[in-house]
Amino acid sequence: MAPVPQPTLLSPTELSYLHTSLSLTPPIRPDARSPTTFRPLVAETDLLPSANGSARLCFADGTEAIVGVKADVEKTAGGENIRGLNDEEGNSSEDEDMGGMGAGDAGMRTGEGEDRWVEVQIDMPGQRDDDAMVVFLAQMIHEGLVADGGLRKRMVINRRWHWRLYIDILLLSPPHTYPLPLLSLTTHLALLSARLPAPISRNDEDPLFNDDWDASLPLYAPTSISPEPSSTPATAPRPPITLLVISVGANIFFDPTHSELAVADAILAVTVASPPLPAEKLNLLAVRTVDPPSRLSLSASDVGQAAAGSASKEGVWRPKKGGVSRGVLRAMFEMCTERGGVGQEVLDGLERFT
């Protein structure tokens, strides 16, 4: 279970008004957005000259994050046992697209790789590195990045060497809402802009790279070419993203604000990635539940009254008891993964910044 967002300072009457507005059909959000509309944002890439990839993203509320991606060459312990590298000619048994770094590119070869080759570190204002919020956010982002295996396969150089990827996330301002979507979207842009030196070594030789940075290869290729002209073209591989979704009654909202989180019946962190073929749904990689702040803000008297079945006062909102219906959860997943849905719109919109 994820750490809860910070509690709001709204009064019970204000919470009741907000919950009623969000429960209407159609719902009315405090900032007049539609349920699926994200807050305006500003983003840029390639702003850190010493990093392999970097990005900065700022939401309209002033919350801002910078992500830097750094890659180092590391020797693989027991590299001869890497799955997918079991032949002597350097051809992988798994012919997956490597975003310009596959078996046919200057001796690079695919393999399964390991999750520990990707490290995520988050620095938040006023938070220790071992605080529960920081640890969970780093684990959630790391879990999504390695869930489908695409990123760790890109880390394999040959049987004896691999790349180790360091993803450093810096939250520049105190979060005005739950920062997971901001950090995930910024990490997505940083990985899209990341480039690695082009290899000039072959097979299991010690890795040598081209010194010309203009010849470097993108970690995620901007396009993907189908091996057969008659077949359906594959989609370009892209890093996954994590969306924060809430439900209030039967209504579903994306990119919730701090006040909307306070009256949410359920909060889900949903990680999705682009599918292999354009006609398919997005891949659902991970789902985490987040306890709404209201679940932990009840006093002892409120709990006692709820257990006794006493009626709530008019104009005073009380958190919902129990769970969320399966139909609402199914609708939340469908809106994230359906073709042309919210998840697809976010992925397509972020690609325009690169």
Side-chain angles (χ1 to χ4, degrees):
M1 187 70 67
V4 299
Q6 296 178 354
T8 182
L9 300 179
L10 298 178
S11 67
T13 303
E14 292 172 323
L15 291 173
S16 176
Y17 177 81
L18 179 59
H19 185 272
T20 302
S21 300
L22 296 177
S23 302
L24 297 175
T25 305
I28 302 176
R29 303 183 76 170
D31 51 10
R33 288 182 293 151
S34 68
T36 59
T37 301
F38 279 65
R39 288 166 290 172
L41 58 87
V42 177
E44 60 177 327
T45 58
D46 296 325
L47 69 155
L48 300 178
S50 60
N52 292 81
S54 59
R56 181 186 72 92
L57 193 146
C58 180
F59 276 134
D61 60 3
T63 308
E64 185 177 3
I66 290 181
V67 174
V69 178
K70 189 68 175 178
D72 286 339
V73 176
E74 188 176 76
K75 194 167 186 178
T76 305
E80 61 276 3
N81 297 324
I82 296 179
R83 288 177 293 173
L85 294 176
N86 53 5
D87 59 342
E88 296 181 357
E89 279 73 67
N91 295 322
S92 171
S93 60
E94 299 180 6
D95 297 330
E96 297 209 17
D97 179 79
M98 293 289 290
M101 299 173 56
D105 293 325
M108 297 289 289
R109 293 184 288 176
T110 64
E112 290 296 331
E114 298 183 18
D115 294 349
R116 60 185 179 89
W117 294 352
V118 180
E119 296 186 11
V120 179
Q121 183 175 358
I122 297 179
D123 187 5
M124 296 177 58
Q127 299 280 341
R128 292 165 49 94
D129 292 342
D130 57 353
D131 283 347
M133 175 69 74
V134 176
V135 173
F136 167 76
L137 292 175
Q139 179 60 31
M140 183 63 189
I141 293 176
H142 181 270
E143 180 183 77
L145 292 176
V146 302
D148 61 348
L151 179 58
R152 64 173 182 262
K153 290 178 181 178
R154 288 171 167 79
M155 299 297 97
V156 177
I157 299 176
N158 53 38
R159 293 180 187 271
R160 301 171 52 234
W161 299 90
H162 66 269
W163 293 103
R164 178 176 286 271
L165 209 62
Y166 299 93
I167 302 175
D168 295 315
I169 304 174
L170 174 61
L171 190 63
L172 297 179
S173 57
H176 300 291
T177 184
Y178 208 59
L180 180 58
L182 170 67
L183 305 183
S184 176
L185 298 184
T186 314
T187 304
H188 176 91
L189 288 176
L191 290 173
L192 278 182
S193 66
R195 303 183 69 88
L196 299 177
I200 58 178
S201 56
R202 294 285 181 174
N203 298 334
D204 291 337
E205 299 174 351
D206 289 350
L208 294 176
F209 301 96
N210 193 332
D211 294 335
D212 186 4
W213 189 250
D214 293 335
S216 61
L217 303 174
L219 183 61
Y220 284 88
T223 58
S224 181
I225 302 175
S226 177
E228 299 180 6
S230 59
S231 62
T232 304
T235 55
R238 290 178 286 184
I241 58 173
T242 299
L243 305 175
L244 198 64
V245 193
I246 68 170
S247 67
V248 179
N251 296 326
I252 299 172
F253 302 91
F254 287 82
D255 190 28
T257 61
H258 189 235
S259 58
E260 291 172 340
L261 288 171
V263 297
D265 296 335
I267 306 176
L268 294 182
V270 183
T271 303
V272 296
S274 55
L277 299 177
E280 297 180 353
K281 290 184 176 181
L282 269 64
N283 295 330
L284 181 63
L285 302 182
V287 178
R288 291 288 186 98
T289 59
V290 182
D291 265 340
S294 58
R295 299 293 180 94
L296 304 181
S297 61
L298 292 178
S299 63
S301 60
D302 292 334
V303 176
Q305 293 176 4
S310 59
S312 60
K313 297 180 181 179
E314 183 178 357
V316 178
W317 174 75
R318 293 187 182 278
K320 178 183 177 181
K321 306 296 180 181
V324 182
S325 67
R326 295 181 179 179
V328 173
L329 292 177
R330 187 182 304 110
M332 296 170 77
F333 296 147
E334 286 293 331
M335 294 178 68
C336 292
T337 60
E338 65 184 352
R339 193 63 189 172
V342 178
Q344 185 65 53
E345 291 180 0
V346 174
L347 286 172
D348 294 342
L350 291 175
E351 196 169 9
R352 299 174 184 174
F353 290 103
T354 59

